[in-house]
């Protein structure tokens, strides 16, 4: 599976980029321009290293491998799927809604959001403090519903039962933190709209068993 974006590495990492996804295949027109090359490299890496995630940056017409890591969760792109797994688990609860805004984007890009620790909402301003207050009212059992996985939302991890995004990236900072802390999260336009309507949300997504010869590659343009 390949995930890529033309908006840049920082935008992907901070949760503000739009991404595209496709299965890697040698003759799939919906995939990235380098699909055949990535397909070959992925299978070669799998044969040598086992199930791995490869991360790429394209500079001009040249691909550069910048990182690789073992896969603990296999997420396969499915045609017309309504729910995409970001972090496995079960979540049920009322909604705390995050509205899109320039302030959240700027906070997510700024140095106030650490890549090594979870920030406090008080360090990020009134909007995050208000979201934390709403989550505390529900004693940690509410689900955060947001259009994107903004990095600044990391401040809410200790207080949320789960997360739902209208659009998300597996590679962004918040998605990685969600998996590290075992907090369920999905990408689903249908569940996002349900959250916008302030309807209670329930979802359950389990990680798939890792097939021996299948690997996930995500390309960053």
């Amino acid at each position: 599976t390949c995930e890529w974006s033309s908006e840049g590495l920082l935008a992907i990492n901070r949760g503000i980029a739009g991404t595209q996804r496709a299965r890697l295949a040698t003759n799939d027109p919906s995939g990235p321009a380098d699909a055949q090359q990535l397909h070959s490299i992925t299978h070669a890496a799998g044969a040598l290293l086992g199930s791995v995630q490869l991360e790429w940056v394209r500079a001009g017409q040249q691909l550069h491998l910048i990182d690789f890591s073992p896969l603990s969760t296999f997420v396969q792109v499915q045609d017309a799927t309504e729910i995409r797994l970001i972090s496995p688990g079960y979540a049920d609860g009322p909604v705390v809604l995050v509205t899109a805004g320039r302030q959240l984007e700027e906070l997510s890009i700024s140095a106030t959001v650490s890549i090594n620790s979870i920030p406090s909402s008080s360090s990020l301003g009134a909007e995050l403090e208000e979201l934390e207050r709403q989550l505390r009212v529900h004693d940690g059992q509410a689900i955060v519903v947001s259009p994107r996985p903004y990095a600044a939302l990391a401040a809410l991890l200790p207080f949320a039962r789960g997360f739902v995004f209208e659009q998300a990236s597996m590679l962004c900072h918040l998605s990685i933190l969600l998996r590290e802390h075992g907090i369920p999260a999905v990408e689903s336009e249908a569940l996002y709209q349900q959250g916008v309507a302030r309807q209670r949300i329930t979802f359950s997504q389990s990680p798939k068993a890792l097939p021996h010869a299948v690997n996930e590659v995500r390309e960053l343009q």
Side-chain angles (χ1 to χ4, degrees), residues 96-192:
V96 169
L97 184 63
V98 176
T99 55
R102 186 62 186 168
Q103 182 180 5
L104 265 180
E105 290 190 9
E106 291 177 350
L107 280 172
S108 296
I109 294 172
S110 72
T112 55
V113 176
S114 169
I115 63 171
N116 298 316
S117 61
I118 295 178
S120 66
S121 60
S122 60
S123 69
L124 299 177
E127 185 173 0
L128 270 298
E129 286 185 301
E130 172 58 22
L131 289 169
E132 179 184 326
R133 186 196 66 78
Q134 293 179 41
L135 289 168
R136 286 182 177 275
V137 167
H138 296 291
D139 296 322
Q141 297 304 305
I143 295 174
V144 176
V145 175
S146 174
R148 294 285 176 87
Y150 302 112
L153 298 181
L156 305 180
L157 263 62
F159 314 104
R161 180 68 185 89
F163 283 72
V164 169
F165 306 109
E166 182 181 26
Q167 185 176 18
S169 165
M170 288 293 294
L171 285 174
C172 74
H173 179 63
L174 184 62
S175 293
I176 293 169
L177 286 178
L178 286 165
R179 291 191 292 274
E180 288 179 349
H181 289 80
I183 300 172
V186 295
E187 175 193 81
S188 170
E189 184 175 353
L191 287 179
Y192 174 77

Side-chain angles (χ1 to χ4, degrees), residues 1-7 12 17-23 29-32 77 84 167-171 187 217-221:
T1 301
C2 183
E3 178 179 80
W4 72 98
S5 175
S6 61
E7 296 180 43
I12 292 175
T19 61
Q20 301 178 64
R21 294 175 299 276
R23 293 187 185 93
S30 67
V77 173
R84 177 173 176 247
Q167 185 176 18
S169 165
M170 288 293 294
L171 285 174
E187 175 193 81
V217 175
R218 303 177 183 112
E219 177 202 5
L220 313 184
Q221 293 184 345

Side-chain angles (χ1 to χ4, degrees), residues 21 26 31 38 53 56 63 73 80 108 120 141 153 206 218:
R21 294 175 299 276
T26 56
L38 289 169
Q53 166 186 302
W56 303 84
L63 281 173
T73 300
S108 296
S120 66
Q141 297 304 305
L153 298 181
S206 300
R218 303 177 183 112

Side-chain angles (χ1 to χ4, degrees), residues 53-74:
Q53 166 186 302
L54 307 180
E55 298 182 25
W56 303 84
V57 169
R58 178 188 284 125
Q61 299 302 311
Q62 184 67 41
L63 281 173
H64 299 272
L65 180 64
I66 61 170
D67 196 13
F68 74 93
S69 56
L71 274 176
S72 58
T73 300
F74 177 64

Side-chain angles (χ1 to χ4, degrees), residues 72-75 85 87-89 205-210:
S72 58
T73 300
F74 177 64
V75 182
L85 173 65
S87 178
Q205 292 288 293
S206 300
K208 296 184 179 182
L210 284 169

